């Protein structure tokens, strides 16, 4: 579809949008409007600025906005002339003094003023290098009419013109020249040369972008900002004077509504001209210098300008120049609006974000050229940062701890333990009085968390002097324990290698002791397990290398400190057993008198500690494990003591035990333990004074006397495993041995009496098994009878000599019993029979063929 547009007459439309022209009157004065200059011999000034003359000559010309509508002077030089100049001057002085006093009290006497820091900075940051300064050469006009004609051109060329550079100045010459410029500023202002005054200020501000003699920069900053302060005060007082007459003085808490139009337009003109400065640094500094003048324009002017000026600083590339600019903005901000802390805080955080620029190529190359080391360079930041932080902290609310919580992370990330220690000390200083820490536990916890997040080397962390005193502020036990848990979790996570550092050990023993001592009768089992796991993680990371005696001493100390946490005691027993085995490894099994005594000390540690455990299966397993360690280290009597203790403990095993908060039958766990015990008993040599198989006989007696569940067959399964043990004991050479320990195969050498004792025990055990099978002849137990019969059959098949007719017949009877009532698993029976037939083809196993013929398979039908 085509576009059907209306016909437009742009010239007519443009004319209709033009502003309506109005006649100029002094009451409607605007600094940028063309004005008429009237020169007169007799002049009289009114509030509106009107003049009367007896004889005059008038001329129309375009005047400078800074020129006056009167007597050839601009609004910036307009004095509040009144009918009674003396009275007006007195009123103005009184008002100014009162306002100066009010401004001074905007911050209290507890705020250290910039003037008190000025001298220290000038004395500290000096140089012997030659300095240079660029100044503008100007020739002011001699006639008012000439100034009127050229003022606009001069203002448009504020940053241009003929210049001269003063080179090879000493530090004192440089300071003298700056002071001359300051005096020139005052002279220019008093002689009504406002443009020249502005040029001087811009010229001085530009000097702050020069860092060629960088170690002098803080002193240069002080000198230049003195000039800026002077300029700001002159401008403010000049505009203020335009608001005062002989009848009404401006109230101290004046509002923009009470300011006359002339003063407002003059104020705006200053801001407009400053905004036209092309270079960032002078534009920023000059506007910041007259920041207070925003009070004449808007109630929110200062609060709106501060964030904008803060953002402007982001355009300054040199970090040192930028941080000084931030310090100056904080200075003027504190003078005019000390309550506006948000911009002050933003200034500092901007600095933190750009701090990494210090390590960039630009700064590093600059330092190389000037032969300045990083430590010296960093001190140049001190005055600015010190001032910024003072401004931020001044009369800040009870939010100190919230600030510290954030600040500590930055300190940990970018600085060393010395600075972190300083921060922690400061927090302690602030939070200890009146026990303020009791209201700030979350923040204090967060601080600890941040510290341990960035300090993974715990030798450094615990060498921080104030770290442990910081922990002392956590006096509420539940909070204190949570903090300790955080520390231990970090240690276990980040500590890659074992340690024997006494600083770490002492500190973490203190932390672990705190966790341990929090355990009481009301502590939940889950909490106990968590605390024990953390302490055990610490114990596992402690190693004194080959200093085994020191290692054992540590375990002894830990046992005394953590006696209420059973998992820790269990870990200590395992650790001491491991220590004994490491000693054996080092000595390659050939103990010296010293090492033999040491491993006996380890064994004694375990034997003493195990009875203190409440878990009966923990005691049983540790008796067995420790006995094995003692046996491996040729401590035979100690090994016997462990095994006897285990045998005597079996009757105490309860029918039900607590497993992860649930009550479960214990017989399965007892069966597992006894099977492991039987495997160990194979290699334990008989005691010469205790008789043949004294440990096996003792264990069988305990098993016989133990009260088993009526519908449980574990006792018979245990007896079947005893047959495995007894079968292994009859061998000429046992299947395994302990190095340097003679087992019964060596001691008895296949003695017939020894074998006869074994056979007697076997007969007794088999009789017990068969009697039990007979008791399972009832209908509800026939399936159990079938399973046990097949289990016993497989035992005889694996360990018995089926060439023995009685044993052969027993195996056939068990086979038939397993199938008798149809409860046997057909697949299992078929595979078992196939195995027998396969074995019959092996040498010396031909009797298996005959056995296979006697083992029928019965169908379920």
């Amino acid at each position: 579809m085509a576009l059907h547009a209306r016909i437009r007459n742009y010239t007519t439309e443009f004319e209709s949008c033009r502003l309506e022209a109005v006649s100029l009157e002094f009451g409607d004065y605007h600094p940028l409007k063309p004005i008429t200059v009237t020169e007169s011999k007799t002049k009289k000034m009114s509030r509106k600025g009107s003049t009367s003359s007896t004889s005059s000559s008038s001329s129309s010309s375009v005047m400078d906005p800074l020129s006056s509508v009167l007597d050839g002077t601009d609004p910036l030089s307009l004095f509040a002339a009144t009918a009674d100049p003396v009275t007006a001057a007195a009123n103005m002085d009184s008002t100014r003094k009162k306002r100066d006093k009010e401004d001074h009290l905007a911050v209290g006497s507890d705020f250290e003023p910039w003037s008190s820091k000025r001298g220290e900075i000038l004395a500290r940051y000096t140089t012997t290098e030659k300095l240079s300064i660029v100044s503008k050469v100007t020739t002011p006009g001699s006639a008012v009419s000439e100034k009127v004609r050229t003022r606009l051109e001069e203002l448009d060329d504020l940053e241009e013109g003929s210049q001269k550079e003063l080179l090879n100045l000493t530090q004192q010459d440089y300071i003298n020249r700056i002071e001359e410029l300051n005096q020139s500023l005052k002279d220019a202002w008093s002689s009504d040369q406002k443009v020249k005054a502005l040029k001087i200020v811009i010229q001085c501000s530009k000097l702050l972008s020069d860092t060629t003699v960088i170690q002098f920069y803080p002193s240069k900053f002080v000198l230049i900002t003195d000039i800026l302060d002077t300029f700001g005060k002159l401008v403010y007082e000049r505009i203020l004077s335009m608001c005062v007459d002989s009848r009404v003085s401006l109230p101290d808490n004046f509002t923009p509504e009470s300011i006359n139009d002339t003063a407002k337009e003059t104020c705006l003109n200053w801001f407009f001209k400053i905004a036209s400065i092309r270079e960032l640094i002078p534009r920023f500094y000059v506007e910041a210098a007259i920041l207070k003048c925003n009070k004449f324009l808007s109630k929110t002017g200062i609060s709106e300008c501060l964030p904008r000026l803060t953002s402007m600083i982001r355009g300054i590339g040199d970090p040192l120049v930028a941080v000084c600019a931030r310090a100056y903005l904080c200075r003027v901000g504190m003078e005019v609006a000390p309550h506006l802390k948000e911009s002050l805080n933003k200034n500092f955080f901007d600095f933190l974000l750009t701090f990494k620029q210090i390590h960039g190529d630009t700064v590093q190359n600059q330092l190389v050229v000037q032969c300045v080391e990083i430590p010296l360079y960093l001190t140049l930041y001190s005055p600015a940062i010190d001032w910024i932080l003072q401004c931020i902290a001044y009369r800040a609310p009870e939010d100190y701890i919230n600030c510290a919580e954030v600040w500590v992370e930055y300190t940990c990330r970018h600085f060393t333990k010395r600075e972190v220690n300083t921060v922690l000390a400061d927090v302690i200083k602030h939070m200890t009085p009146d026990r303020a820490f009791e209201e700030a536990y979350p923040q204090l916890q967060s601080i600890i968390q941040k510290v341990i997040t960035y300090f993974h080397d715990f030798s450094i962390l615990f060498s921080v002097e104030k770290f442990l005193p910081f922990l002392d502020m956590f006096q509420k036990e539940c909070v204190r324990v949570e903090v300790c848990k955080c520390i231990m979790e970090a240690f276990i996570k980040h500590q890659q290698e074992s340690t024997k550092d006494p600083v770490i050990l002492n500190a973490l023993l203190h932390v672990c002791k705190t966790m341990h001592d929090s355990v009481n009768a009301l502590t939940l089992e889950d909490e106990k397990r968590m605390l024990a796991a953390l302490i055990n993680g610490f114990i596992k990371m402690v190693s004194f290398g080959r200093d085994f005696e020191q290692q054992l001493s540590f375990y002894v100390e830990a046992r005394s400190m953590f006696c209420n946490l059973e998992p820790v005691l269990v870990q200590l027993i395992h650790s001491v057993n491991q220590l004994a085995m490491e000693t054996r490894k080092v000595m390659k099994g050939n103990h010296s008198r010293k090492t033999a005594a040491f491993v006996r000390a380890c064994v004694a540690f375990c034997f003493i500690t195990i009875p203190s455990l409440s878990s009966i299966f923990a005691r049983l397993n540790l008796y067995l494990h420790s006995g094995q360690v003692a046996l491996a280290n040729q401590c035979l009597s100690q090994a016997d003591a462990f095994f006897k203790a285990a045998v005597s403990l079996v009757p105490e095993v309860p029918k039900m035990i607590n497993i992860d908060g649930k009550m479960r039958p214990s017989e399965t766990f007892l069966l597992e333990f006894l099977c492991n015990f039987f495997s160990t008993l194979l290699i334990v040599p008989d005691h010469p004074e205790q008789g043949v198989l004294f440990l096996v006989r003792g264990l069988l007696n305990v098993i016989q006397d133990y009260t088993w569940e009526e519908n449980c067959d574990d006792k018979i399964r245990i007896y079947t495993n005893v047959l495995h043990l007894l079968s292994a004991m009859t061998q000429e050479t046992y299947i395994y041995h302990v190095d340097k320990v003679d087992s019964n195969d060596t001691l008895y050498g296949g003695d017939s009496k020894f074998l006869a004792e074994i056979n007697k025990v076997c007969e007794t055990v088999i009789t017990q098994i068969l009697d039990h099978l007979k008791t399972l002849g009832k209908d509800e137990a026939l399936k159990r009878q079938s399973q046990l019969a097949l289990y016993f059959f497989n035992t005889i098949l694996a360990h018995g000599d089926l060439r023995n007719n009685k044993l052969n017949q027993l195996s056939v009877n068990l086979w038939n019993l397993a199938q008798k009532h149809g409860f046997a698993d057909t697949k299992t029976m078929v595979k078992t029979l196939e195995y027998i037939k396969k074995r019959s083809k092996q040498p010396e196993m031909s009797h298996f063929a005959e056995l296979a013929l006697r083992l029928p398979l019965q169908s379920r039908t």
Side-chain angles (χ1 to χ4, degrees):
M1 179 182 293
L3 177 63
H4 301 279
R6 66 182 177 89
I7 299 174
R8 306 281 296 274
N9 187 329
Y10 293 112
T11 303
T12 304
E13 292 180 26
F14 178 78
E15 290 295 331
S16 67
C17 294
R18 293 179 67 89
L19 295 176
E20 181 179 359
V22 295
S23 58
L24 175 65
E25 295 183 5
F26 291 122
D28 298 321
Y29 168 75
H30 189 286
L32 300 182
K33 289 182 180 179
I35 58 177
T36 300
V37 178
T38 303
E39 297 182 0
S40 61
K41 297 178 181 178
T42 305
K43 297 183 283 291
K44 185 177 181 180
M45 184 181 298
S46 71
R47 178 72 185 90
K48 296 258 184 181
S50 61
T51 61
S52 61
S53 61
T54 55
S55 63
S56 65
S57 61
S58 301
S59 63
S60 289
S61 63
V62 178
M63 286 193 65
D64 176 12
L66 300 183
S67 298
S68 172
V69 296
L70 310 170
D71 72 353
T73 60
D74 59 36
L76 302 180
S77 15
L78 180 63
F79 291 99
T82 62
D84 187 356
V86 176
T87 303
N91 288 341
M92 185 171 177
D93 286 343
S94 175
T95 302
R96 182 181 296 115
K97 289 178 181 178
K98 189 173 182 180
R99 186 170 292 108
D100 287 345
K101 182 178 180 181
E102 179 191 17
D103 291 343
H104 177 69
L105 293 178
V107 288
S109 59
D110 55 337
F111 184 81
E112 185 178 3
W114 175 256
S115 58
S116 66
K117 299 177 180 290
R118 182 182 180 278
E120 179 186 350
I121 297 173
L122 291 175
R124 179 180 179 186
Y125 298 96
T126 60
T127 182
T128 57
E129 296 187 31
K130 298 300 182 180
L131 303 167
S132 63
I133 191 169
V134 178
S135 61
K136 186 178 295 292
V137 179
T138 58
T139 306
S142 57
V144 171
S145 58
E146 181 183 354
K147 178 173 65 177
V148 171
R149 287 194 302 270
T150 63
R151 185 67 59 84
L152 281 176
E153 287 81 358
E154 289 182 1
L155 286 173
D156 287 338
D157 194 30
L158 283 174
E159 300 172 81
E160 299 175 2
S162 58
Q163 297 179 340
K164 67 175 181 179
E165 184 174 11
L166 302 179
L167 303 174
N168 297 323
L169 298 177
T170 65
Q171 176 179 315
Q172 189 58 49
D173 292 338
Y174 189 93
I175 294 174
N176 293 340
R177 179 55 185 155
I178 295 296
E179 291 176 351
E180 289 174 6
L181 287 172
N182 198 357
Q183 187 59 44
S184 298
L185 167 65
K186 296 176 182 178
D187 294 342
W189 191 271
S190 61
S191 62
D192 200 23
Q193 299 182 60
K194 305 300 187 295
V195 174
K196 180 180 179 181
L198 183 57
K199 287 182 179 181
I200 293 173
V201 174
I202 294 173
Q203 174 189 345
C204 292
S205 300
K206 286 183 177 181
L207 296 176
L208 291 174
S209 62
D210 177 23
T211 59
T212 51
V213 184
I214 200 165
Q215 62 267 37
F216 183 66
Y217 191 85
S219 292
K220 180 197 290 188
F221 170 75
V222 170
L223 296 170
I224 300 300
T225 52
D226 284 349
I227 296 178
L228 289 165
D229 293 342
T230 300
F231 176 73
K233 185 176 182 180
L234 290 172
V235 173
Y236 182 82
E237 291 182 352
R238 178 70 187 92
I239 299 173
L240 183 64
S241 68
M242 300 175 68
C243 306
V244 180
D245 58 30
S246 58
R247 293 160 302 197
V248 181
S249 63
L250 201 62
D252 295 336
N253 55 344
F254 69 85
T255 61
E257 291 76 15
S258 60
I259 306 301
N260 60 56
D261 291 342
T262 303
K264 282 186 177 180
E265 295 302 335
T266 302
C267 184
L268 274 174
N269 184 62
W270 277 110
F271 282 110
F272 290 154
K273 295 311 295 180
I274 292 169
S276 69
I277 301 173
R278 288 192 296 269
E279 294 185 25
L280 173 62
I281 291 178
R283 184 168 73 249
F284 163 79
Y285 273 106
V286 178
E287 181 175 355
I290 67 166
L291 178 66
K292 189 176 181 179
C293 294
N294 279 281
K295 293 171 63 176
F296 297 113
L297 302 176
S298 168
K299 291 181 179 179
T300 60
I302 292 175
S303 62
E304 291 171 354
C305 282
L306 277 173
R308 179 174 56 79
L309 290 171
T310 300
S311 298
M312 283 176 64
I313 302 175
R314 296 175 181 173
I316 300 176
D318 190 300
L320 179 59
V321 176
V323 78
C324 288
R326 299 184 196 284
Y328 185 68
L329 185 58
C330 288
R331 262 179 62 191
V332 296
M334 285 297 290
E335 291 175 5
V336 300
H339 60 286
L340 297 177
K341 291 294 185 68
E342 183 177 351
S343 293
L344 301 180
N345 295 336
K346 190 175 181 182
N347 250 315
F348 186 65
F349 284 115
D350 277 357
F351 161 70
L352 297 182
L353 291 173
T354 58
F355 186 75
K356 59 185 178 182
Q357 288 179 302
I358 290 175
H359 302 287
D361 292 341
T362 303
V363 173
Q364 293 296 318
N365 293 338
Q366 182 185 27
L367 298 183
V368 170
V369 171
Q370 298 194 39
C371 300
V372 175
E373 298 292 335
I374 277 287
L376 175 60
Y377 174 68
L378 291 177
T379 63
L380 304 180
Y381 287 78
S382 298
I385 296 175
D386 177 65
W387 179 259
I388 294 172
L389 290 177
Q390 177 182 325
C391 295
I392 291 174
Y394 180 68
R395 292 184 180 175
E398 191 46 22
D399 288 344
Y400 165 82
I401 190 62
N402 292 326
C403 296
E405 178 187 357
V406 177
W407 171 242
V408 75
E409 181 172 8
Y410 176 78
T411 311
C412 291
R413 181 179 292 182
H414 298 291
F415 294 90
T416 65
K417 70 173 186 178
R418 183 172 67 89
E419 289 76 19
V420 173
N421 188 65
T422 301
V423 175
L424 295 182
D426 193 64
V427 174
I428 294 172
K429 176 183 175 182
H430 281 80
M431 303 309 293
T432 300
D434 300 324
R435 300 179 67 86
F437 53 77
E438 292 182 343
E439 305 298 326
Y441 282 139
Q443 294 89 341
L444 296 176
Q445 282 182 268
S446 177
I447 289 174
I448 286 290
Q449 187 65 56
K450 288 178 170 62
V451 172
I452 62 180
T453 296
Y454 290 99
F455 280 79
H456 296 167
D457 188 336
F458 279 75
S459 61
I460 295 178
L461 176 63
F462 290 125
S463 64
V464 175
E465 180 184 356
K466 295 298 181 180
F467 184 76
L468 291 179
F470 191 94
L471 293 182
D472 291 338
M473 288 195 293
F474 296 98
Q475 296 190 10
K476 188 176 181 181
E477 185 177 69
C478 61
V479 179
R480 188 181 183 89
V481 171
E482 286 301 315
V483 171
C484 291
K485 285 161 64 175
C486 288
I487 294 173
M488 294 310 303
E489 287 170 357
F491 176 78
I492 294 171
K493 179 179 179 180
H494 298 296
Q495 186 72 22
Q496 301 297 324
E497 299 177 352
S498 57
T499 181
K500 62 177 180 179
D501 188 328
V503 174
I504 295 179
L505 298 187
N506 290 334
L508 289 186
L509 280 173
H510 172 73
V511 171
C512 291
K513 179 66 173 173
T514 300
M515 295 192 299
H516 170 270
D517 291 349
S518 69
V519 175
N520 54 44
L522 300 179
T523 306
L524 298 177
E525 290 300 319
D526 286 345
E527 178 71 6
K528 290 182 181 178
R529 278 194 291 271
M530 179 182 295
L531 296 178
L534 293 174
I535 296 174
N536 285 343
F538 163 59
I539 291 173
K540 292 176 183 177
M541 293 303 297
V542 177
S543 174
F544 290 88
R546 290 291 186 89
D547 191 350
F548 293 157
E549 292 181 345
Q550 183 64 34
Q551 189 81 37
L552 181 59
S553 297
F554 169 77
Y555 292 143
V556 171
E557 181 182 4
R559 180 179 62 183
S560 65
M561 295 178 69
F562 310 127
C563 57
N564 291 332
L565 287 174
E566 187 161 305
V568 178
L569 295 179
V570 171
Q571 177 60 48
L572 288 171
I573 294 170
H574 283 304
S575 297
V576 171
N577 280 328
Q578 182 180 1
L579 184 61
M581 294 305 292
E582 288 178 0
T583 306
R584 177 181 182 272
K585 181 179 179 180
V586 169
M587 300 303 294
K588 298 181 180 179
N590 299 311
H591 283 299
S592 65
R593 180 176 298 180
K594 182 178 180 180
T595 59
F598 176 76
V599 295
R600 285 196 295 270
C602 293
V603 169
F605 175 98
C606 299
F607 193 78
I608 293 171
T609 308
I610 292 174
S612 63
L613 304 178
S614 61
S615 170
I616 193 164
F617 278 102
R619 280 184 279 163
L620 284 171
N621 288 310
L622 287 171
Y623 275 135
L624 177 58
H625 182 222
S626 300
Q628 292 168 345
V629 171
L631 194 63
N633 284 280
Q634 301 122 51
C635 301
L636 300 184
S637 60
Q638 288 84 355
D640 284 345
F642 280 115
F643 297 142
K644 287 180 182 179
V647 171
S648 63
L649 191 60
V650 170
E652 300 179 19
V653 175
K655 298 295 181 294
M656 305 292 289
I657 57 174
N658 190 320
I659 304 294
D660 295 332
K662 297 181 180 179
M663 300 305 294
R664 297 183 179 179
S666 64
E667 292 184 353
T668 302
F669 299 95
L670 181 58
L671 175 62
E672 180 184 1
F673 166 75
L674 290 173
C675 289
N676 291 333
F677 199 1
F678 295 148
S679 299
T680 301
L681 289 178
L682 172 63
I683 55 175
V684 176
D686 283 341
H687 195 283
E689 299 178 359
Q690 300 290 338
V692 179
L693 303 179
F694 77 101
L695 285 174
V696 175
R697 292 177 186 275
L699 185 56
L700 286 174
N701 292 334
V702 168
I703 295 171
Q704 177 65 29
D705 296 338
Y706 186 79
T707 305
W708 301 89
E709 292 290 334
E710 292 183 1
N711 297 323
C712 178
D713 301 318
D714 286 337
K715 179 179 180 180
I716 303 306
R717 295 183 184 278
I718 291 171
Y719 279 149
T720 306
N721 280 281
V722 171
L723 292 177
H724 301 171
L725 168 63
L726 295 173
S727 173
M729 283 183 165
T730 62
Q731 305 303 312
E732 184 176 348
T733 302
Y734 291 170
I735 189 172
Y736 49 82
H737 294 86
V738 174
D739 187 33
K740 295 183 174 57
V741 174
D742 292 332
S743 299
N744 286 341
D745 58 343
T746 302
L747 295 178
Y748 292 106
D751 183 76
S752 57
K753 293 182 179 179
F754 173 69
L755 296 178
E757 290 294 329
I758 293 177
N759 287 332
K760 288 180 182 178
V761 176
C762 284
E763 289 175 2
T764 303
V765 171
I766 290 174
T767 300
Q768 293 284 341
I769 295 173
L770 294 176
D771 289 345
H772 184 76
L773 285 173
K774 290 178 183 178
T775 63
L776 300 177
K778 298 179 181 179
D779 291 344
E780 65 274 11
L782 292 177
K783 184 175 182 180
R784 290 164 53 201
Q785 184 188 59
S786 173
Q787 293 172 342
L788 280 178
L790 183 59
Y791 185 69
F792 189 21
F793 172 82
N794 285 329
T795 295
I796 295 174
L797 190 66
H799 298 281
D801 184 359
L802 293 177
R803 289 173 294 190
N804 180 284
N805 292 333
K806 290 185 178 180
L807 200 57
N808 191 296
Q809 184 59 47
L810 177 59
S811 65
V812 172
N813 293 341
L814 291 170
W815 178 270
N816 292 331
L817 182 61
Q819 301 183 92
K820 182 176 181 179
H821 301 288
F823 288 101
D825 181 49
T826 304
K827 290 183 179 180
T828 301
M829 304 298 286
V830 170
K831 288 182 178 180
T832 303
L833 188 56
E834 289 177 352
Y835 169 77
I836 295 172
K837 292 177 180 179
K838 185 177 180 180
R839 288 287 305 274
S840 66
K841 298 177 182 179
Q842 296 178 358
E844 299 182 1
M845 300 297 289
S846 57
H847 57 283
F848 268 46
E850 180 184 352
L851 176 64
L853 296 175
R854 300 177 64 192
L855 302 177
L857 285 174
Q858 298 179 4
S859 63
R860 289 184 178 276
T861 58

